[in-house]
Amino acid sequence: MMRALMLVPLLGLAACTDYGSGPVRPDPGPSQWGTLSGQATYRERIALPRTAQMIVEIRDVSRADSRAPLIASTTVQAQGRQVPLAFSLRYNVRKLEPRGRYAVSARIADGGRLLWTTDTNYAFRPGQDHMTLNLVSAQASRPGSARPGNDRPGRPAPDRPSRPGRR
């Protein structure tokens, strides 16, 4: 009998519970995730290898005296597609400081060999949702890639060193 009396208050609490409305969830507030979508392209009419992949990154460039920490990154497989290549980069907005400076970069590589890269600072503002990135050839932008003597259009590079006194 004593046990039955102890169950009466519990049954009363169960009767007051609303089972039909589903679980109560707190207000999520502002979304923790943002998405930057866009495309990367280059001007030259050179086909990408089928196995090429594009890497797009957001980095914190607030401090000039240290390596820029990575905020977010995504990899897009070319799979035979050509530029412009579309990307969608999801990032955690809680990693962004209100007074911070952020930049987006992209590069296209094939088998570990860099083919195309951004050479311009593409500033990113938190909340920005679209961006177009222009890439340049990594072969032309690499120091030492030009042949000596070929610095003027129309002038061929020398095949062998010239001898003094000979023209």
Side-chain angles (χ1 to χ4, degrees):
M1 181 72 175
M2 184 67 115
R3 285 187 180 172
L5 289 176
M6 289 174 56
L7 289 176
V8 171
L10 292 175
L11 291 173
L13 286 174
C16 294
T17 304
D18 179 13
Y19 292 103
S21 66
V24 177
R25 293 188 176 101
D27 180 25
S31 175
Q32 178 179 350
W33 298 98
T35 302
L36 174 67
S37 300
Q39 59 186 8
T41 189
Y42 51 82
R43 204 175 83 177
E44 291 83 348
R45 293 174 50 118
I46 299 173
L48 287 174
R50 181 169 187 71
T51 55
Q53 60 182 358
M54 176 176 67
I55 299 98
V56 181
E57 299 175 336
I58 298 175
R59 289 193 174 266
D60 182 347
V61 293
S62 301
R63 296 185 59 183
D65 61 344
S66 65
R67 180 163 165 79
L70 181 67
I71 301 296
S73 177
T74 189
T75 301
V76 177
Q77 303 296 327
Q79 298 177 333
R81 292 175 295 181
Q82 299 302 317
V83 293
L85 290 175
F87 66 87
S88 182
L89 178 55
R90 192 166 181 239
Y91 61 93
N92 185 338
V93 297
R94 293 184 180 165
K95 287 186 172 183
L96 306 178
E97 297 293 326
R99 299 186 75 172
R101 290 186 13 200
Y102 304 95
V104 179
S105 64
R107 63 186 180 276
I108 298 175
D110 183 37
R113 187 172 61 107
L114 184 63
L115 302 174
W116 302 92
T117 187
T118 50
D119 68 344
T120 304
N121 181 9
Y122 289 91
F124 171 72
R125 294 179 317 277
Q128 184 174 352
D129 62 354
H130 193 270
M131 184 175 285
T132 298
L133 305 171
N134 293 307
L135 293 96
V136 297
S137 172
Q139 305 308 315
S141 64
R142 191 171 12 171
S145 63
R147 292 181 64 193
N150 202 13
D151 55 347
R152 286 187 277 163
R155 181 178 170 197
D159 291 326
R160 56 189 156 78
S162 61
R163 294 184 203 158
R166 295 189 90 182
R167 290 195 179 235

